[in-house]
Amino acid sequence: MWGFMKEKKYHHLVRNYIEQKTDFHFIKELGVGSYGVAYLLIHSKSGNQYVLKRMKTKHLCKKRLHEKFQQEISMLNEISIPNIPSVYTQGKLQDVPFYIMDFVDGKTFEQAIFKDGETFTLAQSLEITKQLLELVITIHEKGIVHRDLRIPNILINEDGLHIIDFGLAAYLNPNLKVDKINNPKKVENHISDLYFVGHFLLFLLYSNFTPTERKERSWQEELQLPIGVIDYIERLLTLRSPFSNTKEALNSIPTDFLKKT
């Protein structure tokens, strides 16, 4: 209860700070994650929209999370490409760190699939995955692995795909041995991002799937995919020998089923 009241109090502090001390106007709270809270702002002069992300107050005494928060800011500055939000400014409000970044005006694939009911064919799904891998390669070339490439963190608009939320990102560790990996979600190399890309691709494919029986089966059985596509996804998910790097994963997309959308 105390934690809730503390967060609510800080919410009002942020709102007052934005309205009284900056060139922005507060619009609304966008969402709450495990470590932070995001707000939508609009710049009073340019009319451009931005996002303020701040650390949750309950993490104030956790040095490691402070370091992770600052690392997230540093990574966004290091990546510096159009498909990733850029940091506008950063600071602290009553010892709680925050930063303001670009707002990506687009639709997440979570919204597209579960709210709007959009469906994706095999060819469309592979083309979108190809575009995502091209973007992920750029991030990896900066020495960074995202480690949270889920459908809420991948957006699409007229400019293409965008990746947000680098809260779980890490610097690539080149010394990790593939055969020593126990949890592909958390590993600090390309395996993690490819694992999430595999699940992302499955979400796209399942958007076009209608169950014909009540018994739950494996995705390999339910989706009735070509064997080459099954093999490809299984390598992304480390069910088979994983790809040695993201470029190999991109070059290995089953081209027989890949068509421009």
Side-chain angles (χ1 to χ4, degrees):
M1 183 66 178
W2 168 244
F4 172 79
M5 294 300 294
K6 193 173 182 181
E7 289 292 344
K8 188 173 182 180
K9 177 183 177 181
Y10 195 79
H11 169 80
H12 291 297
L13 284 173
V14 170
R15 184 165 189 162
N16 290 337
Y17 169 76
I18 291 299
E19 294 292 345
Q20 299 172 13
K21 303 291 186 179
T22 75
D23 293 327
F24 295 93
H25 292 300
F26 182 95
I27 299 179
K28 63 180 180 179
E29 181 181 294
L30 281 175
V32 180
S34 300
Y35 307 108
V37 184
Y39 305 93
L40 182 63
L41 317 176
I42 187 169
H43 195 271
S44 57
K45 296 179 180 178
S46 68
N48 294 331
Q49 291 183 320
Y50 292 82
V51 174
L52 183 148
K53 183 174 181 178
R54 56 94 170 172
M55 181 184 286
K56 280 186 172 179
T57 54
K58 70 178 183 179
H59 298 314
L60 271 178
C61 298
K62 300 176 182 177
K63 181 181 178 182
R64 184 182 66 84
L65 293 183
H66 273 272
E67 292 172 350
K68 284 290 293 181
F69 195 85
Q70 292 302 320
Q71 177 179 280
E72 181 178 353
I73 297 172
S74 298
M75 287 178 169
L76 290 174
N77 285 325
E78 290 169 26
I79 295 172
S80 187
I81 60 174
N83 303 76
I84 307 296
S86 297
V87 175
Y88 180 85
T89 189
Q90 66 182 91
K92 286 186 177 182
L93 183 57
Q94 291 193 0
D95 294 325
V96 177
F98 72 87
Y99 68 94
I100 298 175
M101 60 182 162
D102 296 330
F103 170 70
V104 180
D105 188 9
K107 180 189 298 185
T108 71
F109 280 90
E110 182 178 53
Q111 294 169 327
I113 295 170
F114 293 107
K115 182 180 179 181
D116 298 340
E118 292 187 29
T119 60
F120 301 91
T121 65
L122 173 59
Q124 289 173 324
S125 299
L126 289 173
E127 175 60 31
I128 292 169
T129 300
K130 176 177 177 289
Q131 294 173 18
L132 177 59
L133 285 171
E134 290 171 343
L135 186 52
V136 173
I137 285 172
T138 302
I139 297 172
H140 288 181
E141 287 175 342
K142 303 282 187 176
I144 294 166
V145 57
H146 187 278
R147 300 200 303 171
D148 199 19
L149 292 173
R150 297 177 297 113
I151 53 175
N153 294 332
I154 303 170
L155 297 88
I156 187 168
N157 61 19
E158 63 275 7
D159 298 321
L161 299 186
H162 299 258
I163 296 174
I164 61 172
D165 196 348
F166 280 70
L168 296 180
Y171 287 105
L172 281 163
N173 184 346
N175 299 317
L176 290 174
K177 304 295 184 182
V178 172
D179 58 348
K180 302 295 184 182
I181 293 173
N182 295 318
N183 187 347
K185 290 183 179 181
K186 297 182 178 181
V187 68
E188 296 175 346
N189 71 3
H190 68 284
I191 295 293
S192 173
D193 281 351
L194 293 185
Y195 180 84
F196 279 105
V197 169
H199 281 282
F200 172 80
L201 175 53
L202 284 176
F203 269 106
L204 297 183
L205 294 170
Y206 263 106
S207 72
N208 211 19
F209 170 75
T210 302
T212 56
E213 55 184 79
R214 298 179 66 178
K215 182 181 178 181
E216 186 175 342
R217 299 181 296 166
S218 68
W219 62 266
Q220 293 95 328
E221 295 174 306
E222 287 184 329
L223 293 176
Q224 296 291 299
L225 297 168
I227 187 64
V229 176
I230 293 176
D231 290 346
Y232 180 74
I233 297 174
E234 288 183 344
R235 290 192 70 185
L236 290 174
L237 299 178
T238 69
L239 299 176
R240 291 179 181 267
S241 177
F243 295 107
S244 59
N245 54 58
T246 315
K247 288 184 179 179
E248 184 188 4
L250 174 63
N251 294 332
S252 300
I253 289 181
T255 55
D256 290 346
F257 313 99
L258 184 61
K259 297 178 182 178
K260 296 294 183 181
T261 57

